[in-house]
C-alpha cells in the first residue's frame, strides 16, 4: 500500500492547493492526496492483517513439506500397487465416513491420499486425508485436509485466518474490504509520487519526514504492480464483488466449464458408493483410472466417486502449477467408458485468466518462485503501512497527532472532470460495494464535519466583530 507520498508543500493548506507541476491533472492532486491519506489511515489495519497472514500463507507451503514429511513422502519402491488396494488399506485403517475423493501418488516418492468425508470429529467443510504408501499399502498417517489445493492443518489455519479471521462468512468482509481498497491506495500513491519533482523523490541526504516519504514512495512504486494484481485476483472470489464478477463472466459466456457426471441406461448407478463408503462397485477404481489415462490425463489427478445412482466417476487433473493441467473426464461406472470430457485448452479466455490469477495469488502457479514473490510483496506492504503511519505522526505539530489534510479539494476540480469522474466512481462502487459504501460514508461524514466547521467559523467571526 502506498500511503500518501506527499510533498513538503503538503504541510499547509495553501501549499496543498498548489501542485509541484502545473498541468491538466494538477487540480486532481489535492483530491487524490486527501483520498490516499484517509483511505490509507482507515484501511491500513485491515491491510496489515492481510499482508501479515498472506506472508505466513506463502511460507506455509514449504513449512508443510517439512512438518508433514512423514505423511506426504515415502521411500521409492519398485512398483506401485493398484489404486484399489491402496484405498482398501485406507478404509481398513479408517472405516468411518465415506470416500469422497482419491489422489493417487503423483510422484515416485509421494503418498496416495484417500479423502474421507463425514468422519466424526472432522468439520463438515473438511475431509480426513489418509496417506498410503503406494508401494506397500501401509498407512502412514491421517490429517484433516481443506480446499482444492489439499491444505493440511498448518496451511488451513493460516488460510482461514487470512481469508476471514476465523470468523466464518462474515469475516470474509475484512479481506474483501482490503482487496477493494488496495488498488485505490496504490494507484493514488503512484499519481502523487510521479507528480513530484524528480529532485524531491530522492532518499539519499534526507532525514525526518522527507526520508520516510522517500522510502515509502520508492518501495510503493516498485510494488504497485503486484498490489494491483493481488487486489484484482483477490476480488475474483470475494463475497460481493466476486459474485458480480461471476455474473459478468456468465453473461459473456466466459464461465468455467464443468464436466457432466450424469450417466444413463439400465446399468446406471452400478458404481455408486455403498452405504459403507466403498467405491469398488461397478468397474472399480483401477479401470476408471485406466480410462482417464487413456484420455491423456497424467498426474496429478483426483478421482471422485459417483454422487448417486445416476452419476459416474469424475477424474480431474489437479495440477495448478505451470503448465496448468485441469482436464477432466466422466466415466460410466457400469462399463468404464468415458461419457464426457472437458479440456483446459478449451476453457474461455476469462476462465483461464481467472484460474491462473487465483493460482498465482495463492502461490501455486510458479511454485517456490511464486511464493517468494508473494512474501516480498507482503513484506513491502507491511513496511509501507508502518512508514505511512510514521508520516502521519510526523505531520503533527506540537500536541497534534496526524494533522489532517485540509478539506475542499474537490472544489478545485473542473466540472468537466469532476462529473464523469463521479459517475465512474459510482458505477465502480456498485460493482465493488466494499469500495463504494465506505467511500460514500466517508464523503457524507466529511461533508457534515466540513459544514459544522464552516458554521463554527462563521459564529467565531461574528463574535469577534
Amino acid at each position: 500500500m502506498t500511503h500518501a507520498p506527499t510533498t513538503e508543500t503538503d504541510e499547509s493548506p495553501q501549499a496543498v492547493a498548489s501542485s509541484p507541476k502545473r498541468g491538466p491533472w494538477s487540480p486532481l492532486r489535492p483530491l487524490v492526496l486527501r483520498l490516499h491519506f484517509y483511505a490509507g489511515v482507515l484501511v491500513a489495519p485491515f491491510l496489515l492483517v492481510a499482508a501479515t497472514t498472506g506472508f505466513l500463507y506463502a511460507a506455509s507451503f514449504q513449512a508443510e513439506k517439512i512438518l508433514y514429511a512423514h505423511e506426504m513422502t515415502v521411500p521409492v519402491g519398485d512398483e506401485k500397487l493398484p489404486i484399489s488396494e491402496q484405498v482398501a488399506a485406507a478404509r481398513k485403517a479408517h472405516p468411518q465416513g465415506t470416500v469422497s475423493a482419491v489422489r493417487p501418488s503423483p510422484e515416485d516418492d509421494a503418498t496416495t491420499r484417500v479423502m474421507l468425508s463425514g468422519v466424526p470429529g472432522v468439520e463438515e467443510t473438511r475431509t480426513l486425508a489418509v496417506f498410503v504408501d503406494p508401494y506397500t499399502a501401509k498407512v502412514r498417517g491421517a490429517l484433516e485436509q481443506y480446499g482444492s489445493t489439499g491444505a493440511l492443518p498448518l496451511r488451513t489455519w493460516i488460510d482461514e485466518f487470512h481469508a476471514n479471521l476465523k470468523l466464518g462468512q462474515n469475516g470474509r468482509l475484512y479481506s474483501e474490504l482490503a482487496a477493494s481498497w488496495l488498488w485505490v491506495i496504490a494507484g493514488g500513491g503512484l499519481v502523487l509520487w510521479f507528480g513530484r519533482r524528480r529532485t524531491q523523490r530522492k532518499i539519499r541526504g534526507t532525514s525526518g519526514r522527507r526520508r520516510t516519504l522517500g522510502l515509502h514512495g520508492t518501495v510503493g512504486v516498485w510494488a504497485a504492480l503486484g498490489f494491483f494484481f493481488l487486489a484484482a485476483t483477490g476480488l475474483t472470489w470475494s463475497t460481493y464483488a466476486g459474485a458480480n464478477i461471476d455474473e459478468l463472466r456468465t453473461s459473456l459466456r466466459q464461465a468455467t466449464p464443468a464436466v457432466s457426471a450424469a450417466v444413463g441406461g439400465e446399468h446406471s448407478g452400478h458404481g455408486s458408493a455403498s452405504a459403507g463408503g466403498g467405491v469398488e462397485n461397478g468397474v472399480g477404481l483401477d479401470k476408471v483410472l485406466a480410462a482417464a489415462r487413456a484420455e491423456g490425463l497424467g498426474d496429478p489427478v483426483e478421482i471422485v466417486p459417483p454422487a448417486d445412482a445416476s452419476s459416474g466417476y469424475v477424474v480431474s487433473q489437479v495440477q495448478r502449477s505451470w503448465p496448468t493441467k485441469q482436464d477432466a473426464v466422466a466415466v460410466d461406472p457400469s462399463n468404464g467408458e468415458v461419457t464426457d470430457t472437458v479440456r483446459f485448452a478449451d476453457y474461455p479466455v476469462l476462465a483461464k485468466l481467472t484460474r491462473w490469477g487465483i493460482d498465482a495469488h495463492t502461490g501455486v502457479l510458479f511454485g517456490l518462485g511464486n511464493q517468494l514473490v508473494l512474501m516480498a510483496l507482503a513484506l513491502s506492504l507491511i513496511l509501507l503501512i508502518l512508514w505511512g503511519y510514521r508520516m502521519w505522526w510526523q505531520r503533527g505539530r506540537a500536541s497534534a497527532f496526524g494533522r489532517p489534510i485540509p478539506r475542499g479539494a474537490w472544489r478545485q476540480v473542473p466540472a468537466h472532470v469532476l462529473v464523469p469522474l463521479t459517475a465512474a466512481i459510482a458505477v465502480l462502487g456498485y460493482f465493488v460495494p466494499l469500495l463504494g459504501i465506505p467511500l460514500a460514508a466517508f464523503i457524507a461524514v466529511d461533508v457534515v464535519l466540513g459544514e459544522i466547521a464552516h458554521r463554527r467559523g462563521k459564529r467565531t467571526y461574528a463574535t469577534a466583530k
Side-chain angles (χ1 to χ4, degrees), residues 176-177 180-181 183-184 425 428-429 432-440:
E176 183 169 355
L177 177 70
S180 298
W181 280 92
W183 66 275
V184 176
I425 292 174
L428 183 61
V432 187
L434 288 192
L435 170 64
I437 295 174
L439 180 59

Side-chain angles (χ1 to χ4, degrees), residues 44-131:
F46 300 99
L47 287 171
L48 184 60
V49 174
T52 303
T53 56
F55 180 92
L56 295 174
Y57 183 79
S60 68
F61 285 90
Q62 302 306 316
E64 195 174 63
K65 293 179 180 179
I66 299 173
L67 186 61
Y68 306 119
H70 176 76
E71 289 83 2
M72 298 175 66
T73 59
V74 294
V76 178
D78 296 328
E79 184 178 355
K80 293 181 180 179
L81 298 172
I83 193 67
S84 57
E85 292 187 27
Q86 300 178 50
V87 173
R91 296 300 290 147
K92 183 178 180 180
H94 296 273
Q96 294 180 308
T98 59
V99 177
S100 59
V102 180
R103 292 192 177 186
S105 168
E107 298 170 349
D108 291 340
D109 63 345
T111 52
T112 290
R113 294 194 192 189
V114 180
M115 278 76 84
L116 307 177
S117 60
V119 177
V122 177
E123 292 186 20
E124 185 178 353
T125 57
R126 305 178 188 177
T127 59
L128 182 69
V130 183
F131 298 84

Side-chain angles (χ1 to χ4, degrees), residues 1-5 35-49 51 177-178 181-190 215-228 230 376-391:
M1 178 182 71
T2 51
H3 282 279
L35 176 64
H36 182 78
F37 174 79
Y38 278 110
V41 168
L42 299 175
V43 180
F46 300 99
L47 287 171
L48 184 60
V49 174
L177 177 70
W181 280 92
L182 176 58
W183 66 275
V184 176
I185 298 170
L190 287 177
L215 292 168
H216 180 92
T218 302
V219 173
V221 167
W222 282 103
L225 183 60
F227 295 156
F228 286 131
L230 290 177
L377 283 173
L379 182 59
S380 298
L381 185 52
I382 292 170
L383 291 174
L384 288 168
I385 292 170
L386 297 178
W387 284 327
Y389 276 122
R390 178 169 175 77
M391 281 193 294

Side-chain angles (χ1 to χ4, degrees), residues 273-364:
S274 65
V279 290
E280 284 305 303
N281 294 324
V283 296
L285 287 172
D286 298 318
K287 289 187 177 180
V288 168
L289 182 58
R293 300 293 195 207
E295 289 293 320
L297 271 66
D299 287 322
V301 298
E302 179 178 272
I303 308 169
V304 177
D308 50 44
S310 61
S311 302
Y313 289 89
V314 173
V315 185
S316 307
Q317 289 180 310
V318 292
Q319 177 172 305
R320 293 184 172 180
S321 58
W322 191 267
T324 301
K325 294 181 180 179
Q326 291 285 290
D327 293 353
V329 299
V331 180
D332 191 325
S334 66
N335 53 28
E337 293 182 358
V338 173
T339 58
D340 191 29
T341 302
V342 172
R343 302 289 183 185
F344 183 74
D346 299 328
Y347 276 27
V349 174
L350 291 184
K352 287 182 178 178
L353 292 177
T354 300
R355 178 73 278 150
W356 288 327
I358 291 175
D359 293 339
H361 185 111
T362 55
V364 299

Side-chain angles (χ1 to χ4, degrees), residues 85 427 465:
E85 292 187 27
V427 173
K465 291 177 67 176

